[in-house]
């Protein structure tokens, strides 16, 4: 619960600070895909601030209700793909399973699937932070996906 509150406070902070319209193309944040082996899968865009517009959506579990999980093997490598420049310069990945939230280490734009069987929901958040002015966001977006470890 504390991590959920932390994520909400961070998101609220970015909304208060405001999103700049500088240098960000497109009406919405870019699409993000995950790649598992040779297969590429879509993620679902959730809450975001982009070009001065902020949209608040449900969390990953609610956002993906009724969606079939992507089946993966235990410990399988999962990579993020974003065909957009500039790439976010800050990002976080949260795993939600059985009402537990855990931060997941992302290294070289990839992470490993859990080793335990089960269904896992994820929230991948990216922030395009200004490199000169502290706490100035040019945009942020959260992407949701669900995995089932077989």
């Amino acid at each position: 619960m504390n991590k959920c509150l932390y994520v909400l406070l961070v998101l609220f902070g970015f909304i208060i600070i405001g999103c700049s319209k500088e240098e960000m193309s497109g009406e919405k944040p870019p699409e993000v895909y995950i790649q598992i082996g040779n297969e590429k899968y879509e993620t679902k865009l959730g809450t975001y601030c982009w070009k001065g517009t902020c949209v608040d959506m449900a969390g990953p579990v609610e956002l993906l209700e009724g969606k079939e999980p992507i089946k993966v093997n235990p410990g399988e490598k999962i990579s993020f793909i974003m065909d957009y420049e500039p790439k976010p310069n800050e990002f976080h990945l949260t795993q939600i399973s059985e009402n537990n939230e855990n931060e997941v280490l992302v290294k070289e734009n990839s992470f490993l699937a859990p080793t335990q069987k089960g269904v896992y929901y994820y929230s991948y958040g990216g922030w395009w932070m200004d490199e000169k002015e502290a706490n100035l966001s040019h945009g942020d977006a959260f992407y949701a996906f669900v995995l089932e470890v077989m």
Side-chain angles (χ1 to χ4, degrees):
M1 186 65 179
N2 286 341
K3 289 187 181 193
C4 184
L5 182 58
Y6 172 75
V7 169
L8 288 174
L9 287 174
V10 168
L11 180 61
F12 182 72
F14 283 122
I15 291 171
I16 295 276
I17 292 168
C19 300
S20 171
K21 294 181 183 179
E22 295 178 32
E23 300 179 29
M24 305 308 285
S25 63
E27 293 303 312
K28 288 185 175 181
E31 293 180 345
V32 170
Y33 299 90
I34 57 171
Q35 183 169 340
I36 304 167
N38 293 328
E39 296 291 323
K40 188 170 147 182
Y41 302 90
E42 292 182 354
T43 63
K44 178 109 172 138
L45 179 61
T47 297
Y48 67 88
C49 284
W50 199 257
K51 296 181 89 172
T53 300
C54 292
V55 175
D56 190 20
M57 301 287 281
V61 176
E62 296 82 10
L63 196 60
L64 297 170
E65 188 175 331
K67 182 160 176 59
E68 187 70 26
I70 300 164
K71 295 182 183 348
V72 297
N73 294 316
E76 193 163 13
K77 181 179 178 182
I78 300 160
S79 301
F80 292 103
I81 299 171
M82 179 186 294
D83 188 23
Y84 182 83
E85 289 297 334
K87 300 274 191 264
N89 49 9
E90 185 177 324
F91 56 88
H92 296 279
L93 179 63
T94 302
Q95 176 192 81
I96 303 154
S97 175
E98 299 177 7
N99 294 324
N100 293 320
E101 291 188 18
N102 298 301
E103 187 79 14
V104 176
L105 176 66
V106 176
K107 187 174 182 181
E108 296 177 4
N109 225 25
S110 299
F111 72 102
L112 299 178
T115 56
Q116 300 293 318
K117 291 182 179 185
V119 175
Y120 300 86
Y121 290 85
Y122 290 88
S123 176
Y124 177 71
W127 290 265
W128 287 260
M129 301 301 292
D130 192 275
E131 294 183 14
K132 296 177 183 172
E133 190 173 334
N135 300 322
L136 176 61
S137 173
H138 292 287
D140 61 74
F142 289 86
Y143 302 88
F145 58 98
V146 58
L147 303 177
E148 181 175 4
V149 178
M150 305 303 290

